[in-house]
Amino acid sequence: MKDMQAQLEKLQRDAAECALIRDLATDPKKRELFTRLAEHLTVLASEVERAIIESVESEIAPDLPPRP
């Protein structure tokens, strides 16, 4: 669980760094690239966060069906 939390935090940091680079970029192509990277890393972070929540929920109440 700690490794998943560490990965979540890293993905969130990386997404924030990409957004910062995007905001500072003067080249439109670089801006577009770092926008896509930030969005992708944010989606990945959301997926890891959801997996953590599902894991915790299954440990607390193993008989309940998973959330949709």
Side-chain angles (χ1 to χ4, degrees):
M1 181 66 74
K2 287 183 180 183
D3 58 327
M4 289 176 70
Q5 186 65 38
Q7 285 299 316
L8 173 61
E9 291 169 4
K10 181 176 182 342
L11 286 168
Q12 290 169 333
R13 275 193 314 272
D14 290 348
E17 288 177 12
C18 284
L20 178 62
I21 292 169
R22 173 205 60 210
D23 294 343
L24 297 174
T26 56
D27 182 344
K29 289 187 180 202
K30 286 184 182 179
R31 221 179 276 165
E32 180 185 336
L33 172 66
F34 282 98
T35 296
R36 287 194 323 245
L37 283 171
E39 290 170 355
H40 183 67
L41 290 169
T42 299
V43 169
L44 291 175
S46 296
E47 291 295 318
V48 171
E49 187 172 31
R50 187 177 64 160
I52 291 170
I53 290 168
E54 287 175 2
S55 176
V56 169
E57 287 175 349
S58 70
E59 290 176 8
I60 294 173
D63 297 334
L64 292 178
R67 296 188 333 176

